[in-house]
Amino acid sequence: MGRRAPEFRRPARRRLSNWIWWILGLFMAGGLVLFVLHHHHQDHSVLQVKDKGPKTMETTRGSLNLSQELLSSTSFARQLADQMTLSKAYVVIAKEHGNLQLAWELSSQIRNCQRLLSQSAVRGKPISLEEAHPIISRLARLIYKAQDLHYDISTTITTLKNHAQVLEERANAATVQSARFGQLAAEALPKGLHCLNIRLLEEWFNNEELRKLAETHRKSPRLTNTNLYHFCIFSDNVIATSVVLNSTVSNADHPQQLVFHIVTDDVNYRSMASWFLIHDCKGCAIEVQSIKEFGWLNSSYSPLLKQLSEPELQTYYYHDDSAYHEEETKFRNPKFVLMLNHLRFYIPEIYPSLERVVFLDDDVVVQKDLTQLFTLNLHGNVNGAVETCLESYHRFYKFLNFSNTLISAKFDPQACGWAFGVNVFDLIAWKKANITARYHYWQERNAQRMLWKTGTLPAGLLAFYGLVEPLDRRWHVVGLGYDLDIDDRLIQSAAVLHFSGNMKPWLKLAAGKYKHLWSRYVDVSSRSYLIDCILH
């Protein structure tokens, strides 16, 4: 058979082989793509594992509880801690016996022990046998050596007891010294105030018109007018008294209706009188008297003055107190027996024509109008005061000695105490109840300080017992001289703020948190006086 012409030949086999090659090429390309993708996924997984590695290590590191290790009876940390405690005791004993070499070796191993415990806590892994064995062995040999030198457990206990006793005595001595220094700081008159008194005294002697004006003021009919509002202040501090007066008149609706009766000692009378004669206090009436003017107040009438004439009481309050403990030191402040502080028990005799007065301490600041106190119903009681008992705080047993039958037979130990500093006194009811005679009775019974330690409040609790009308707490907020945590809302709502305590606002040790409440009522001219005194 002859060959066909080229155009008549069949191309089927060639077409089929072409399609096979195309398919194989596609499979190879797809396989290559899959290989590349699979390799990239493996690399990404490795990176993720590497990233998570530090977190896993951190988790492992934090898994060690060092406290549990120290409490475990089988851990090396516990064994090291026990040996270290015993070694510290032997260091003290070795030093006492003059064995400085042993003390040095023990101290060195104690530092190694502390270093190993610190490293264990940082890395988060328990201490291994290899790490602990050298230190434990060396400490064991040193402890055995100490015991071999007769530093037995009995010696150790005795020595440590002696050290504890010595430290306790030092702590008590430091506490007593601190209390004494605080008391001295509170009693001391700042240089500026002393200088102010001298300047005012100079003004008194150089100004004859001032002395004549003082006599004129004494004859004012307003001083005995029972239709006016009468306040009494007993103080030897010019600046403090001026702040009380200035804050009272500044917050009064009608200051011209206020009358202030000030009594001071003979040393400060001229300075006090000069100040209030020079300064016009918004039209209020002011009377300044010296306690020396009260001739009836003598040792034959006042039990306190009679007791102060005795050498034993003078020694207790005015001489060396190095033999007394802290509890005694805080009660031995001479201000507690100053007659100026005890004048509050003689108010009806000082002002016989008055019917009601409001007594103010010289360390208070007035923030509201106090004239409403004169219209309060005291329900026949003598003394209107704010009670200070919260649960067991400031109840009678805190101030009085209830182991004495004279006290326990007549008074309730859980009776609520109250505060001097803002007191409304009904002088008519006072005279009927003969409060001054009550005060004298208890002051005589306390000649040996067996009923209470000192101060005016315990005597007041006894003298006014059953005759106190509780006032709203906002009339009188106490504690700004020692308590730094008084609620700000209570301070803002208070009619009177009392800087009771040693941190008086005119001293450098005053609480800065509260000082501005007092200093804003310091007269501008007194500031210039004080600045001039300090500069010169």
Side-chain angles (χ1 to χ4, degrees), residues 66 68-84 113 116-117 120 123 126-136 139:
L66 189 58
Q68 291 181 356
E69 281 285 302
L70 292 173
L71 293 174
S72 173
S73 59
T74 59
S75 69
F76 292 113
R78 168 66 179 273
Q79 189 173 351
L80 286 168
D82 290 343
Q83 282 189 315
M84 186 168 57
C113 184
L116 182 55
L117 288 171
S120 174
R123 74 191 181 202
I127 298 172
S128 64
L129 174 62
E130 291 77 11
E131 294 171 319
H133 182 266
I135 299 177
I136 291 174
L139 277 176

Side-chain angles (χ1 to χ4, degrees), residues 383-441:
N383 177 13
V386 172
E387 294 182 333
T388 55
C389 57
L390 298 173
E391 298 177 354
S392 63
Y393 180 65
H394 276 190
R395 296 188 182 273
F396 268 43
Y397 75 89
K398 289 286 187 178
F399 301 96
L400 304 170
N401 179 17
F402 276 86
S403 64
N404 190 300
T405 55
L406 194 59
I407 296 294
S408 59
K410 297 184 178 182
F411 302 97
D412 177 10
Q414 295 296 329
C416 193
W418 44 269
F420 270 130
V422 180
N423 303 90
V424 186
F425 291 129
D426 184 333
L427 301 186
I428 297 175
W430 181 308
K431 295 172 185 176
K432 288 181 180 179
N434 208 352
I435 298 298
T436 303
R438 286 190 181 193
Y439 160 71
H440 283 173
Y441 172 84

Side-chain angles (χ1 to χ4, degrees), residues 82-132:
D82 290 343
Q83 282 189 315
M84 186 168 57
T85 302
L86 186 57
S87 299
K88 287 180 179 179
Y90 283 134
V91 168
V92 175
I93 299 173
K95 286 182 179 179
E96 283 195 349
H97 287 76
N99 196 340
L100 300 181
Q101 178 63 29
L102 177 59
W104 180 84
E105 291 177 0
L106 285 167
S107 299
S108 177
Q109 294 308 315
I110 288 171
R111 288 192 294 271
N112 292 336
C113 184
Q114 291 172 333
R115 189 180 301 110
L116 182 55
L117 288 171
S118 176
Q119 290 173 354
S120 174
V122 170
R123 74 191 181 202
K125 291 182 179 181
I127 298 172
S128 64
L129 174 62
E130 291 77 11
E131 294 171 319

Side-chain angles (χ1 to χ4, degrees), residues 147-343:
Q147 291 173 344
D148 193 47
L149 292 170
H150 306 293
Y151 303 163
D152 55 12
I153 195 66
S154 177
T155 305
T156 303
I157 292 173
T158 303
T159 303
L160 293 179
K161 278 185 176 180
N162 292 337
H163 274 275
Q165 185 176 357
V166 170
L167 290 174
E168 185 176 359
E169 291 174 356
R170 288 180 181 176
N172 290 337
T175 304
V176 172
Q177 190 178 43
S178 175
R180 181 58 181 157
F181 287 161
Q183 180 177 313
L184 289 173
E187 293 174 16
L189 182 68
K191 174 187 173 183
L193 296 185
H194 177 70
C195 175
L196 176 62
N197 286 343
I198 300 299
R199 295 285 298 275
L200 292 171
L201 186 63
E202 183 182 9
E203 185 73 27
W204 173 269
F205 285 112
N206 291 338
N207 193 338
E208 185 178 354
E209 294 298 324
L210 206 62
R211 298 195 295 274
K212 292 180 180 179
L213 187 61
E215 292 300 322
T216 304
H217 280 201
R218 281 176 174 268
K219 300 174 183 178
S220 172
R222 297 171 66 188
L223 300 178
T224 56
N225 187 345
T226 55
N227 293 319
L228 301 178
Y229 304 109
H230 295 264
F231 299 85
C232 56
I233 307 168
F234 307 138
S235 173
D236 58 359
N237 189 320
V238 176
I239 287 292
T241 305
S242 69
V243 167
V244 176
L245 198 146
N246 191 31
S247 63
T248 305
V249 298
S250 297
N251 292 287
D253 294 334
H254 304 287
Q256 299 83 2
Q257 298 180 6
L258 306 185
V259 181
F260 291 89
H261 303 272
I262 301 169
V263 180
T264 187
D265 54 28
D266 192 53
V267 174
N268 294 280
Y269 166 71
R270 295 166 186 82
S271 301
M272 190 81 73
S274 296
W275 178 267
F276 290 107
L277 289 169
I278 293 171
H279 296 84
D280 177 27
C281 298
K282 298 187 178 181
C284 67
I286 303 174
E287 176 189 31
V288 181
Q289 293 176 281
S290 168
I291 194 173
K292 194 176 181 180
E293 299 175 33
F294 309 141
W296 49 267
L297 191 59
N298 50 52
S299 58
S300 62
Y301 178 62
S302 169
L304 179 62
L305 288 176
K306 182 179 179 180
Q307 292 163 10
L308 286 174
S309 65
E310 299 172 358
E312 188 272 336
L313 200 65
Q314 292 178 3
T315 301
Y316 183 78
Y317 283 106
Y318 297 103
H319 292 82
D320 180 53
D321 59 352
S322 57
Y324 292 91
H325 296 291
E326 175 200 3
E327 185 178 356
E328 287 291 326
T329 300
K330 68 181 181 181
F331 289 121
R332 298 177 65 240
N333 191 335
K335 75 174 184 180
F336 290 138
V337 290
L338 285 178
M339 202 61 223
L340 201 59
N341 283 332
H342 287 256
L343 277 185

